[in-house]
Amino acid sequence: MTLPGRRSSTFTRLLRHGFTDPSAAERLLDSAELMPVRDDPVLLDALGATADPDLALLGLVRLLEAQPPSAARRELLDTLIAAKPLRDRLLGVLGSSAALADHLVRHPHDWQALVTYEPRDLHPGVEEFERGLAEATDPVSLRVAYRRCLLSIAARDVCGTTDLAETAAELADLATATLRAALAIARTAAPEDAALCRLAVIAMGKCGGHELNYVSDVDVIFVGEAVEGADEGKALRSATKLASHMMRICSETTVEGSIWPVDANLRPEGRNGPLVRTLSSHLAYYQRWAKTWEFQALLKARPVAGDIELGEEYVAALEPLVWKAAERENFVADVQKMRRRVVENIPAAEVDRELKLGPGGLRDVEFAVQLLQLVHGRADAGLRSGTTLDALQALAEGGYVGRADAVQLDDAYRFLRSMEHRIQLYRLRRTHLVPEGEADQRRIGRSLGLRVDPVAELNREWRRHAAVVRRLHEKLFYRPLLDAVAQLAPGETRLSPEAARERLVALGYGDPAAAMRHLEALASGVTRKAAIQRTLLPVLLGWFADSADPDAGLLNFRKVSDALGKTPWYLRLLRDEGAAAENLARVLSAGRLAPDLLMRAPEAVALLGDGDGGGLEPRDRDQLEQEILAGVRRAENAQQAVTAARGVRRRELFRTAAADIVGSYGTETQPAEADQGALVDMVGGAVSDLTAATLAGTLRAVVREGWGDTLPTRFAVIGMGRFGGHELGYGSDADVLFVHEPWEGTAEREASEAANRVVSEMRRLLQIPSADPPLLIDADLRPEGKSGPLVRTLNSYEAYYRRWSLVWESQALLRAEPVAGDEDLGRRFVELIAPLRYPAEGLGDEAVREIRRLKARMESERLPRGADPKLHTKLGPGGLSDVEWTVQLMQLRHGWAEPGLRTTRTREALAAACAAELISGEDAEILDEAWVLATRVRNAVMLVRGRAGDTFPSDGRELAAVGRYLGYGDGHVGDMLDAYRRTTRRARAVVEVLFYGA
């Protein structure tokens, strides 16, 4: 008797044996069905060895309850206690699969399928499974026989008699036997159809690869031919009926459930194409229309049912096309794009639980292996296996994959597939999600031999293996390339030069010979630098290959490494700071501008890190001005001072360009910036602030050298155009006006000469040829244009604007903002021009007509000859000029009454006009989208080509690079141009109404 408050010894024993609900287990052990054996220690030990002892005990009691009279129940109990093989198999299945326990309850004699334990039963093949299904004559009996066969596979699996690869192969063999049985039932039901045609069933996917899951769609393709003398059309219709019936037999739900869906969507044209085609029709499709992924899928094609001879003809006919797939344009990009699309389609809430499709999942291993098979399988027939693990081993033996990498991937793949099997086995449901419940994770962990702390150990092992896959699946392509040029350990297999060339070409490198030379220079030798670069390069090469110009990325990396390789902080930065290496790879392969800026001062690489010394966040104007003025103070003369200022400008231009590129491309941990307008504002603000700080420093240097601390006149620089609007691009000139005001007691002539000398010297110093990009000062917006004086006094401006000002000058002054020099003088200049740019009561009708005439003349006269107007970002329909003139017209007409319109910035003014209901929200959004896109294109052209341009590049690779910057993948340049035309066309329609009054 157990005393109150004391637990029974049975309760304690049950806890020790792994039961989580000992009270319920005690009640089950006390049931009438188990009374004869309840005290037998063998039973308790066997239950404790299962994945879920509670589930196993409940299943055993249910199975005993389902047995007919007592003799059968006694037979089961006696065999269970006496025969260890049956005990381990039966309880192992009951402790792992509630679904198979349900099957045994419905069919209580099927436990006897687990009694036989002979060597020939350990590894059955298709023939053995066909015998097990032989008595099935309809869909229901086929399901019962299938589950009976599945029982034996699961029993061997959970007991460890078979490993993962053997279990997956047995499941594929059982699927083959099931497809044959289903086709036989369909033929028996329609003998007249069967007599007219030859029908071959080609297994694809995991079934074709001999590596099936417990519950998975069975992918197939059907090939049909007419028998001799039969009409082909009628034969194909008959074959289609047989194929459809076969699919329904397997897929439809009956009283015994379903087996698995048969999926024929990998066929030519997918679900839109005919279910059955002739061999010649298949061949014609693959020769002309097939996409890269369709050849990838054919790696696993295997005839399994129906007319096997016809199936073998199908495989033989298509095999040569499969091994030419790697020669297709954008081959690797297509495969990787498909992989990315799979990941992007996973619901955000499930990504972290996805075993198959998530980052570091099973699909990463499978895609990587298949990609390498397609690249190298043409020349090496030993790689042509449809089974992932066999192909991975062949790749390692051939030197196409590093042996250590292959071993780690093999281990990770086996573990992740084993998890997948255990998850599916429980309910026999198709899923790849790791369950969130602790009880489920405990059962899975125990089934994999993790017994100390199953839940914690399972999660730790799962994350470890996923991390291995994430780290290695990209490196698989590149590490052997380094081994091909580096010294290897004795016995290691080296990638041949031809294989290395094939791989580089497939990965998008246009000059594989040069790429191999760069790799040899970077990775050869025994120095610390070479060792670290051998570690980094596999990842960097992948990032380069993800760009429009991998060759340039690798060449630029070599140049940077040659310049900085002996400085300890450089390699440490790339090795230890997660973001630095990827940021560098993106920057070096995105075009010419950023690498050119970096090569002139390679130490700017430090900005790419995520430590205290790095960071791509643009610095504000006060910080920039403070640094530049400090450099001016230290300099011995004006030229030296301006050289220092231009050096800061170069470094900060690089910082801004790098931030723009990384934000546009995204990284593995940070997606691309979705708000394109935010990137435009970032670039415009950063470059404008930098230009203003540079001008302020140059002004200070010139004044100090010529006049000491004080110039004979107050002097201010007024930003105009994009400069005043905080919208400068990488290649923009600085549009400015210069204004001065003599100090009291200073002769106006002396003041004017001093001001002109300052302007002349500033322009000269900022354009001296050097390693730093020049800053061109453009003062053509001044009164009288190029014919007028470069510098005027404030009074002279006032007199000119009062008497001679034209409407276009009022429009230009909308963007005027002081940027350097005497702040008070700049403020008074702004006060002076306020009535001009925001005229009381707005513009008159004649002035509006004049602005429209000017705009029309500019469109017709200034567009470059031969340029496509629809793709000209500045002057084309719906481009920058259209949007800006429309916004500026609203400012001129309504700025006097709407304070929000009194801004130099286009987007701010447009938002203010919308808030004031001068433009609808929809129209404002259309104009804003067009302006942002056109600005992005101009920035992209400068980043890619290294020189400014207002149209899309004509060179294919440069155009692709602009596309990558704008978020378009390989092969989607046409989509980019169509989107640009569509966006600007909509904007032009708004401009016609708002600007021209159409």
Short mmCIF file of all heavy atoms in Angstrom, two decimals, residues 436-459:
data_model
loop_
_atom_site.label_atom_id
_atom_site.label_comp_id
_atom_site.label_asym_id
_atom_site.label_seq_id
_atom_site.Cartn_x
_atom_site.Cartn_y
_atom_site.Cartn_z
N GLU A 436 6.53 23.11 -32.74
CA GLU A 436 6.92 24.01 -31.65
C GLU A 436 6.72 23.40 -30.27
O GLU A 436 7.33 23.83 -29.30
CB GLU A 436 6.12 25.32 -31.75
CG GLU A 436 6.43 26.12 -33.01
CD GLU A 436 5.61 27.39 -33.12
OE1 GLU A 436 4.39 27.29 -33.33
OE2 GLU A 436 6.20 28.47 -32.99
N GLY A 437 5.84 22.39 -30.17
CA GLY A 437 5.52 21.80 -28.88
C GLY A 437 6.70 21.05 -28.27
O GLY A 437 7.43 20.34 -28.97
N GLU A 438 6.84 21.17 -26.95
CA GLU A 438 7.95 20.49 -26.27
C GLU A 438 7.82 18.99 -26.36
O GLU A 438 8.81 18.27 -26.55
CB GLU A 438 8.01 20.94 -24.80
CG GLU A 438 9.21 20.37 -24.05
CD GLU A 438 9.32 20.92 -22.64
OE1 GLU A 438 8.98 22.09 -22.44
OE2 GLU A 438 9.75 20.15 -21.76
N ALA A 439 6.59 18.46 -26.24
CA ALA A 439 6.39 17.01 -26.30
C ALA A 439 6.81 16.46 -27.67
O ALA A 439 7.45 15.40 -27.77
CB ALA A 439 4.93 16.67 -26.02
N ASP A 440 6.46 17.20 -28.74
CA ASP A 440 6.84 16.76 -30.08
C ASP A 440 8.36 16.78 -30.25
O ASP A 440 8.96 15.85 -30.80
CB ASP A 440 6.19 17.67 -31.13
CG ASP A 440 4.70 17.46 -31.22
OD1 ASP A 440 4.25 16.31 -31.11
OD2 ASP A 440 3.98 18.46 -31.41
N GLN A 441 8.99 17.87 -29.80
CA GLN A 441 10.45 17.96 -29.93
C GLN A 441 11.14 16.90 -29.07
O GLN A 441 12.18 16.37 -29.47
CB GLN A 441 10.92 19.36 -29.54
CG GLN A 441 10.46 20.43 -30.53
CD GLN A 441 11.11 21.79 -30.28
OE1 GLN A 441 12.04 21.91 -29.48
NE2 GLN A 441 10.63 22.83 -30.95
N ARG A 442 10.56 16.59 -27.93
CA ARG A 442 11.14 15.54 -27.06
C ARG A 442 11.10 14.19 -27.78
O ARG A 442 12.07 13.43 -27.77
CB ARG A 442 10.36 15.48 -25.75
CG ARG A 442 10.89 14.46 -24.75
CD ARG A 442 10.10 14.57 -23.44
NE ARG A 442 10.65 13.66 -22.44
CZ ARG A 442 10.29 12.39 -22.30
NH1 ARG A 442 9.37 11.88 -23.12
NH2 ARG A 442 10.83 11.62 -21.38
N ARG A 443 9.97 13.87 -28.40
CA ARG A 443 9.85 12.60 -29.12
C ARG A 443 10.85 12.52 -30.27
O ARG A 443 11.52 11.50 -30.48
CB ARG A 443 8.42 12.46 -29.67
CG ARG A 443 8.17 11.14 -30.39
CD ARG A 443 6.80 11.08 -31.03
NE ARG A 443 6.67 12.07 -32.09
CZ ARG A 443 5.98 13.19 -31.99
NH1 ARG A 443 5.34 13.49 -30.88
NH2 ARG A 443 5.92 14.04 -33.01
N ILE A 444 10.98 13.64 -31.03
CA ILE A 444 11.92 13.65 -32.16
C ILE A 444 13.35 13.48 -31.65
O ILE A 444 14.13 12.70 -32.20
CB ILE A 444 11.77 14.96 -32.96
CG1 ILE A 444 10.38 15.06 -33.57
CG2 ILE A 444 12.83 15.05 -34.05
CD1 ILE A 444 10.02 16.45 -34.06
N GLY A 445 13.71 14.24 -30.60
CA GLY A 445 15.06 14.15 -30.06
C GLY A 445 15.39 12.75 -29.59
O GLY A 445 16.47 12.20 -29.89
N ARG A 446 14.47 12.12 -28.84
CA ARG A 446 14.72 10.75 -28.34
C ARG A 446 14.83 9.76 -29.50
O ARG A 446 15.65 8.83 -29.46
CB ARG A 446 13.61 10.34 -27.38
CG ARG A 446 13.71 10.97 -25.99
CD ARG A 446 12.51 10.61 -25.13
NE ARG A 446 12.35 9.17 -24.96
CZ ARG A 446 12.90 8.44 -23.99
NH1 ARG A 446 13.66 9.04 -23.08
NH2 ARG A 446 12.68 7.15 -23.92
N SER A 447 14.04 9.97 -30.55
CA SER A 447 14.09 9.05 -31.69
C SER A 447 15.43 9.11 -32.40
O SER A 447 15.83 8.17 -33.09
CB SER A 447 12.96 9.36 -32.67
OG SER A 447 13.26 10.51 -33.44
N LEU A 448 16.15 10.24 -32.24
CA LEU A 448 17.47 10.42 -32.87
C LEU A 448 18.60 10.08 -31.91
O LEU A 448 19.76 10.37 -32.20
CB LEU A 448 17.61 11.86 -33.37
CG LEU A 448 16.62 12.27 -34.47
CD1 LEU A 448 16.74 13.76 -34.76
CD2 LEU A 448 16.85 11.47 -35.74
N GLY A 449 18.25 9.49 -30.76
CA GLY A 449 19.28 9.05 -29.82
C GLY A 449 19.72 10.12 -28.84
O GLY A 449 20.72 9.93 -28.13
N LEU A 450 19.01 11.22 -28.75
CA LEU A 450 19.36 12.30 -27.83
C LEU A 450 18.54 12.11 -26.56
O LEU A 450 17.37 12.48 -26.51
CB LEU A 450 19.07 13.66 -28.48
CG LEU A 450 19.68 13.86 -29.87
CD1 LEU A 450 19.20 15.17 -30.50
CD2 LEU A 450 21.20 13.85 -29.80
N ARG A 451 19.12 11.55 -25.53
CA ARG A 451 18.33 11.10 -24.37
C ARG A 451 18.56 11.91 -23.10
O ARG A 451 17.76 11.86 -22.19
CB ARG A 451 18.63 9.61 -24.09
CG ARG A 451 18.21 8.65 -25.21
CD ARG A 451 16.71 8.75 -25.46
NE ARG A 451 16.26 7.98 -26.60
CZ ARG A 451 15.75 6.75 -26.52
NH1 ARG A 451 15.65 6.15 -25.34
NH2 ARG A 451 15.35 6.13 -27.60
N VAL A 452 19.66 12.65 -22.97
CA VAL A 452 19.95 13.36 -21.72
C VAL A 452 18.98 14.53 -21.53
O VAL A 452 18.28 14.63 -20.52
CB VAL A 452 21.40 13.86 -21.69
CG1 VAL A 452 21.66 14.64 -20.41
CG2 VAL A 452 22.36 12.67 -21.78
N ASP A 453 18.95 15.43 -22.50
CA ASP A 453 18.00 16.56 -22.50
C ASP A 453 17.52 16.69 -23.95
O ASP A 453 18.01 17.53 -24.70
CB ASP A 453 18.70 17.83 -22.02
CG ASP A 453 17.73 19.01 -21.88
OD1 ASP A 453 16.56 18.86 -22.29
OD2 ASP A 453 18.15 20.06 -21.37
N PRO A 454 16.56 15.85 -24.35
CA PRO A 454 16.22 15.72 -25.78
C PRO A 454 15.87 17.03 -26.47
O PRO A 454 16.32 17.27 -27.60
CB PRO A 454 15.01 14.76 -25.76
CG PRO A 454 15.11 14.04 -24.48
CD PRO A 454 15.74 14.98 -23.50
N VAL A 455 15.10 17.89 -25.81
CA VAL A 455 14.65 19.12 -26.48
C VAL A 455 15.83 20.06 -26.72
O VAL A 455 16.04 20.57 -27.82
CB VAL A 455 13.56 19.82 -25.65
CG1 VAL A 455 13.19 21.17 -26.27
CG2 VAL A 455 12.32 18.93 -25.55
N ALA A 456 16.62 20.30 -25.67
CA ALA A 456 17.77 21.20 -25.81
C ALA A 456 18.79 20.64 -26.78
O ALA A 456 19.34 21.36 -27.63
CB ALA A 456 18.41 21.44 -24.45
N GLU A 457 19.06 19.32 -26.69
CA GLU A 457 20.05 18.70 -27.59
C GLU A 457 19.58 18.74 -29.04
O GLU A 457 20.37 19.00 -29.95
CB GLU A 457 20.30 17.26 -27.16
CG GLU A 457 21.06 17.10 -25.86
CD GLU A 457 21.24 15.63 -25.51
OE1 GLU A 457 22.13 14.98 -26.10
OE2 GLU A 457 20.48 15.14 -24.65
N LEU A 458 18.28 18.49 -29.25
CA LEU A 458 17.75 18.52 -30.61
C LEU A 458 17.93 19.90 -31.23
O LEU A 458 18.42 20.04 -32.36
CB LEU A 458 16.26 18.15 -30.61
CG LEU A 458 15.56 18.27 -31.97
CD1 LEU A 458 16.05 17.20 -32.93
CD2 LEU A 458 14.04 18.20 -31.81
N ASN A 459 17.53 20.93 -30.50
CA ASN A 459 17.64 22.30 -31.04
C ASN A 459 19.08 22.69 -31.27
O ASN A 459 19.41 23.35 -32.26
CB ASN A 459 16.94 23.29 -30.10
CG ASN A 459 15.43 23.30 -30.30
OD1 ASN A 459 14.92 23.91 -31.22
ND2 ASN A 459 14.72 22.60 -29.43
#
